[in-house]
Amino acid sequence: MCAGNGTRASGLYGGTLLEPKDTIPDAPAGEPDTSAGPQPVVKSVTTPAPPSVPPSVTTPAPPSVTTPAPPSVPPSVTTPAPPPVPPAVSTPVPPPSASSAAPADPAATVRRRPRGRTTLLIAAAALLGIAGGVAVGYGVQAERPPTPLAALSQPGLGYPAKALPADKAPGPLPADEDRLVRTDGDLRKLLVAKPKGYQEGEHFFSQDGWVGLEEYARSFEDEGFMYEELLDADFRRAAGASWERGDRSVVVLLVQFRSGVHTGAVGHAEQQRSYMGESDVGAGNEGDPLKGSGNGRYYLYEADNEPGYLPLYRARAIAQRGDVMMEIDVFDSKPISKKDIRSLAERQLERL
């Protein structure tokens, strides 16, 4: 009989069946035992025979009782052993989470608050806090009595409360000290006198010596921009004169601005001088200082030679005195000397 480990039982050695020495003789050949059908050759289970009796008296031996054994497995047939079972790989069991340990009751499950709600709550609390603080502060301030202002640094006024008598009233400033006497009058009278040898010219924007804001702004390339700039600078009025002699023409302009915190004449003069150093729109040089003015300069342009036309030369002077900005332009088909433009600009400054 086969064992579970692939080896045979202890009664079998090399396929030879060993029998015990004392056995009971089989039944006679003529009386086979067919009660149990054909029997395989198996190991007999025998009982020791009783003591022998005299030959004369024989007692037939009782038939041996044999237990049919299972058929023997032929030696050549072996049952393959089952394949070895690999050791089981133990998977670590994760610790029970809080969600698995929590009760399955939906009412007991904690729902996660959306993120946006927290931000809205904080913002609403901040707004309520600010509004509440402003309201409380306004209420406290409204209940307080008004605080008196500090005393003025100048206890007395610079002028008397009542007008002085005529004999004690100070006289007006002389004309050389009061600039308003000159500029508040007819601005055309401040124009430099016409040089000798020149005649009155016909300039497109001069009407009886007065130049309107629209006409003056139209003399610039970007007239819309210049119009707004002059309005913002508190343009007041402008006067001009034009003279001619041969191919030379001279244009003199006086532009007056209203007096205030910002003097428009200073800003306008600086704006005109700012681009004079550029060759495409200006003279292409920084010019020379004009004697008698703190910021005045005069410039000489390069000749403009265009095929089919006479060369064009130009000189320009820009200066400012008080609330008046002066501008002088000289055009000629021949070169213009620095002396011509400088002397004319200095005489105009003396008039201002």
Side-chain angles (χ1 to χ4, degrees), residues 328-343:
I328 301 176
D329 288 280
V330 180
F331 301 91
D332 201 340
S333 60
K334 298 178 182 180
I336 304 171
S337 65
K338 289 185 177 182
K339 180 181 178 181
D340 293 345
I341 183 65
R342 183 181 67 247
S343 60

Side-chain angles (χ1 to χ4, degrees), residues 95-184:
S97 59
S99 59
S100 61
D105 187 6
T109 304
V110 178
R111 298 182 62 185
R112 191 173 183 180
R113 179 181 297 176
R115 296 181 180 178
R117 186 178 300 177
T118 302
T119 305
L120 291 177
L121 291 176
I122 295 175
L127 290 177
L128 290 176
I130 295 174
V134 171
V136 172
Y138 182 81
V140 173
Q141 187 68 20
E143 297 296 332
R144 293 179 179 177
T147 304
L149 298 176
L152 298 176
S153 59
Q154 182 180 357
L157 298 177
Y159 54 90
K162 295 181 179 180
L164 294 176
D167 56 346
K168 294 183 178 181
L173 294 175
D176 56 348
E177 296 181 6
D178 190 1
R179 295 181 179 178
L180 293 179
V181 175
R182 295 185 178 184
T183 58
D184 282 352

Side-chain angles (χ1 to χ4, degrees), residues 17 144 190 326:
L17 184 61
R144 293 179 179 177
L190 296 180
M326 78 162 198

